[in-house]
Amino acid sequence: MQRIKSAARRPIIQGVSPIELTLLIALAVSLLSLLALRRRGARAQRDLRSLLATTSELRHLADHDALTGLPNRRRFEQELARHLAHVRRYGPEGAALVLDLDCFKPVNDTFGHLAGDRLLARVAWVLRERLRATDVVARLGGDEFAILLPRVDAAGAGAVARSLVEHVRAEALTADARGVTVSVGIIAFDERAPGVPEGILAAADIAMYDAKAAGGDGWAFYTEPRVTANGPRAAAGRSAASAHSPAVVVT
């Protein structure tokens, strides 16, 4: 028993007094508390980063098309509004294009919507690849796309349209969707252009339908409406390699 009492009176750690031991224990408790706070802080930081990532993803989904990843109509109209403000301040510059695929419906009807979705995704890829980083390409809905060319004149817009018509046709052939082409309507941001995004899209849409009425696989510029038996007219153009599009053939 005496040996037990003697051992109890000795420091638990050899060479450390009871007071020092008490201080060491207090320090260890403080360190453990700090570590726990740091872990909670790290967890809070992770939660915050996750919340920010989710918010960013939701914001992206709100103004981008889920299938192609392109900006949607809402975002495109915002970009148009910004450019129109630039035009009002600095003068006319740039052009807007509306594109609609020709003979696309038979792809969905014959081969299913999955095949149609794959083709739309490939067309979106072609449009992104053929345009500059400063240009804006969007999917308006269905098989209709739109492009904002902020730094181009009318001749340059026509050259872009020609290139896109040719490359979409080639991509459709690669995708075994022969007969699928694209019609493009163009409106230049000149002094006669509408001053609101909806007016710009409506004018480009008129030109696009004029290109489609000319046989598709081509482009048309919007001009000031002239009263005719068929309504507003636009100046149309077609690429040298184009011809009236046949019915879609997917092999």
Side-chain angles (χ1 to χ4, degrees):
M1 179 64 69
Q2 185 63 31
R3 292 174 60 186
I4 295 174
K5 290 180 179 179
S6 176
R9 285 194 296 270
R10 289 200 301 269
I12 297 175
I13 301 177
Q14 191 67 29
V16 179
S17 69
I19 294 176
E20 292 172 333
L21 182 60
T22 301
L23 292 174
L24 286 172
I25 292 172
L27 179 60
V29 170
S30 297
L31 289 173
L32 288 173
S33 298
L34 286 172
L35 287 173
L37 286 173
R38 287 190 64 181
R39 282 196 294 271
R40 285 198 294 271
R43 185 164 56 249
Q45 289 178 357
R46 287 195 299 271
D47 291 343
L48 179 59
R49 285 195 295 268
S50 177
L51 178 61
L52 291 174
T54 300
T55 302
S56 177
E57 183 179 357
L58 289 174
R59 188 180 298 113
H60 184 273
L61 291 174
D63 55 18
H64 283 77
D65 173 58
L67 174 64
T68 63
L70 296 176
N72 57 18
R73 177 183 286 270
R74 172 179 173 272
R75 175 66 178 276
F76 189 74
E77 289 182 349
Q78 291 173 348
E79 296 293 337
L80 278 180
R82 290 191 188 96
H83 186 71
L84 286 168
H86 174 87
V87 166
R88 285 191 292 269
R89 184 179 179 92
Y90 298 105
E93 184 180 34
L97 285 63
V98 166
L99 305 83
D100 189 85
L101 295 183
D102 308 314
C103 300
F104 176 74
K105 188 174 182 296
V107 175
N108 280 335
D109 292 347
T110 306
F111 301 98
H113 288 279
L114 185 59
D117 286 349
R118 285 197 297 265
L119 181 57
L120 289 172
R122 295 183 71 158
V123 169
W125 177 83
V126 168
L127 299 182
R128 280 194 301 259
E129 287 296 303
R130 303 307 306 177
L131 295 172
R132 301 166 296 185
T134 53
D135 301 329
V136 181
V137 55
R139 183 187 179 201
L140 300 182
D143 59 340
E144 192 172 41
F145 299 85
I147 295 170
L148 171 61
L149 305 173
R151 302 286 186 271
V152 74
D153 57 14
V160 170
R162 177 192 295 271
S163 174
L164 294 179
V165 166
E166 293 172 351
H167 282 87
V168 168
R169 187 194 316 121
E171 186 63 27
L173 288 173
T174 302
D176 293 330
R178 188 172 78 252
V180 174
T181 55
V182 67
S183 294
V184 184
I186 309 167
I187 179 169
F189 288 94
D190 57 24
E191 61 278 357
R192 298 165 297 178
V196 294
E198 296 83 355
I200 293 292
L201 285 174
D205 208 50
I206 289 172
M208 180 272 293
Y209 277 108
D210 205 69
K212 199 175 282 285
D217 196 25
W219 64 95
F221 280 87
Y222 177 80
T223 58
E224 286 190 282
R226 296 190 296 273
V227 179
T228 68
N230 297 319
R233 299 295 301 277
R238 308 192 71 199
S239 60
S242 68
H244 289 281
S245 302
V248 63
V249 178
V250 180
T251 58

